Amino acid sequence: MPSEPELPPEQKQLPKAPGLLRSSGLVGIMTMLSRVLGLVRDMVIARYFGAGAGADAFFVAFKIPNFLRRLFAEGAFSQAFVPVLSSYRENQSRSDVQRLVNAVAGSLGLVLLGVTLVAILGAPVLTAIFAPGFLDDEVKFALTSDMLRITFPYLFLISLTAFAGGILNSYDRFAVPAFTPVLLNLAMIAAAIWLTPLMDEPVMALAWGVFIAGALQLFFQLPFLMRLGLLPRPRVDYRHEGVSRILKLMVPALFGVSVSQINLLLDTVLASFLQTGSVSWLYYSDRLAELPLGVFGIAIATVILPNLSRKHTAASPDQFAATLDWAVRAVLLIGLPAALALALLAEPLIATLFHYGEVTDRDVAMSAQSLLAYSAGLLAFMLIKVLAPGFFARQDTKTPVKIGVIAMVANMVFNLILVFPLAHAGLALATSLSAWLNGYLLWRGLRKEGAWQGQPGWPRFLLQILFANGALAAVILWLNPPVAVWLANGGYQRAADMAILVGAGVAVYFVALALAGVRVRHFRQR
């Protein structure tokens, strides 16, 4: 009996998509690994370079391409590309999807190459724009410019990596893109330890580590695209209908999706005018605030964007609203205790992770001040990550732009008001306040348009998480010794004490949730 002919790829049924909780958990685990290694990376940097002029110079040279990565690659581009690709996946053939991928790869790559070459040639100009306070220090300014020439190609490499990751995420292959940042941390750790002794200017090793990491991250994802059958064959075609749609969506999304990143960059610009160490203090505290944001907020946002895009394409407004509601509840469940823990453990956390080598007691205290300010806005940062996709999935980028501009102007005003009495901590607090404004306006817009509708059970849910967070605060206050003890202890003792404290806090929080009636099944959604 003759066998049935094999269906072409576009007619084959794709495997059933995993549930949102499982997918978010998978991305969260991978991101947790990356963020933990990121903290190890920062501990190594702190040990070798402290919070001096060299560290300030590197953080600026790294922040410029990293900011543009978040603004462009993981921000505007991803939020525009994934909905368009999801629409093609649902409504077009596999060959049409491949043509879209080819056109985007060629068009995006050409633009990125041009931007990178201009940036390398104009490195001193970029340094003057992003760190004008360095103009008074010729050595720091020249060092930053030299490192920027090495780190800026990272934008080209990581943007193509984000493009590849967007394809994989659209086909529910979340693990590989989530694991990829691990390679950045490993490369920078290796560079700090083994390249530093080989450099005339030791801190230059970190710049080369960034460049190497960009190449590793891009080439790591290519085999998985090949396995999916969507390995790009770049073709420059700006007239392609999908490319035109992506470009049209990207222009306003540049502001709408990454206002918090613009605000953080403004902090760096103003901090460059403050005393030496201010840039580093903000960096170390921001890194700790980024841990829960990346592990949970970005993980949930990564999973729901293609999901929301498919629901919008399938005209399922009730499921769309339910998915957004699920995301907001998940963020509150994790974001609120994370913010509370960062606030209560600001100095112990900074001391445990960074109080080594060149980092002094004063550096710990100053970094803790800005961490406390960032913790006040952590929940807002996370809510922005999950609310913005509610607009982008519907290919509405104009509304987030309007909201983003309002939040950015507010941040500038807050900066000017708070920087004088609070110095660098005032910059962090201004960012948090503007994030709350941004998050509120996004939520109000979605609610007004009917895209977000509160599902049953909100009053009870709020009481449950408030009870659990009260228990968490009680156990932290009970077990946490005075700051002087943390500073006096050795590194291993601090790490052991922090592990016990964190373990006890997590255990008490989830036990309290269980006692209050919260169950895992309440968060299972396909």
Side-chain angles (χ1 to χ4, degrees), residues 253-467:
L254 282 169
F255 285 98
V257 73
S258 299
V259 168
S260 62
Q261 297 305 319
I262 296 173
N263 291 340
L264 289 172
L265 190 66
L266 290 173
D267 292 350
T268 302
V269 171
L270 291 175
S272 71
F273 289 101
L274 302 177
Q275 60 182 305
T276 294
S278 296
V279 173
S280 298
W281 298 331
L282 283 170
Y283 175 83
Y284 291 134
S285 55
D286 175 50
R287 290 296 299 158
L288 269 173
E290 285 279 340
L291 178 62
L293 176 62
V295 172
F296 302 109
I298 296 177
I300 295 170
T302 299
V303 170
I304 66 168
L305 178 58
N307 189 286
L308 289 172
S309 298
R310 290 196 291 268
K311 284 180 168 60
H312 175 67
T313 301
S316 302
D318 291 340
Q319 293 183 23
F320 188 100
T323 299
L324 267 182
D325 185 86
W326 174 90
V328 171
R329 293 194 195 207
V331 162
L332 287 175
L333 189 73
I334 300 299
L336 196 55
L340 182 62
L342 285 180
L344 294 176
L345 296 173
E347 281 195 76
L349 282 167
I350 295 290
T352 300
L353 294 171
F354 304 121
H355 192 217
Y356 306 96
E358 301 295 324
V359 176
T360 65
D361 290 359
R362 182 169 179 270
D363 291 328
V364 171
M366 300 300 275
S367 297
Q369 290 178 14
S370 47
L371 177 57
L372 185 62
Y374 279 137
S375 69
L378 176 63
L379 189 59
F381 297 143
M382 296 177 74
L383 287 171
I384 291 168
K385 292 296 181 183
V386 301
L387 292 175
F391 293 96
F392 297 119
R394 295 180 295 131
Q395 300 186 26
D396 173 11
T397 53
K398 293 181 180 179
T399 303
V401 153
K402 297 175 184 177
I403 294 172
V405 170
I406 294 171
M408 191 162 55
V409 171
N411 181 68
M412 294 178 185
V413 174
F414 292 144
N415 273 335
L416 295 176
I417 294 172
L418 297 172
V419 70
F420 294 105
L422 300 176
H424 71 289
L427 301 178
L429 183 58
T431 301
S432 293
L433 292 175
S434 65
W436 276 111
L437 177 62
N438 190 7
Y440 167 72
L441 293 176
L442 287 171
W443 172 80
R444 190 181 70 173
L446 289 169
R447 189 167 179 265
K448 184 177 179 180
E449 295 172 10
W452 182 84
Q453 300 170 16
Q455 305 298 301
W458 264 102
R460 181 182 180 186
F461 175 69
L462 290 175
L463 289 175
Q464 289 169 327
I465 61 173
L466 287 175
F467 169 73

Side-chain angles (χ1 to χ4, degrees), residues 8 53 59 63 79 169 177 237 288 292 369 378 431 484:
F59 290 143
K63 182 161 283 190
Q79 300 289 13
N169 285 334
D237 185 3
L288 269 173
Q369 290 178 14
L378 176 63
T431 301

Side-chain angles (χ1 to χ4, degrees), residues 225-246:
L225 287 180
M226 186 181 299
R227 185 181 303 174
L228 191 62
L230 288 173
L231 184 68
R233 295 184 287 274
R235 179 187 174 191
V236 179
D237 185 3
Y238 293 102
R239 295 183 179 179
H240 188 283
E241 185 272 341
V243 173
S244 299
R245 283 169 59 190
I246 292 169

Side-chain angles (χ1 to χ4, degrees), residues 141-165:
F141 182 86
L143 183 59
T144 304
S145 299
D146 289 342
M147 283 196 287
L148 185 58
R149 292 188 178 96
I150 300 171
T151 60
F152 204 92
Y154 177 74
L155 174 65
F156 172 81
L157 296 166
I158 202 62
S159 295
L160 293 178
T161 302
F163 162 65

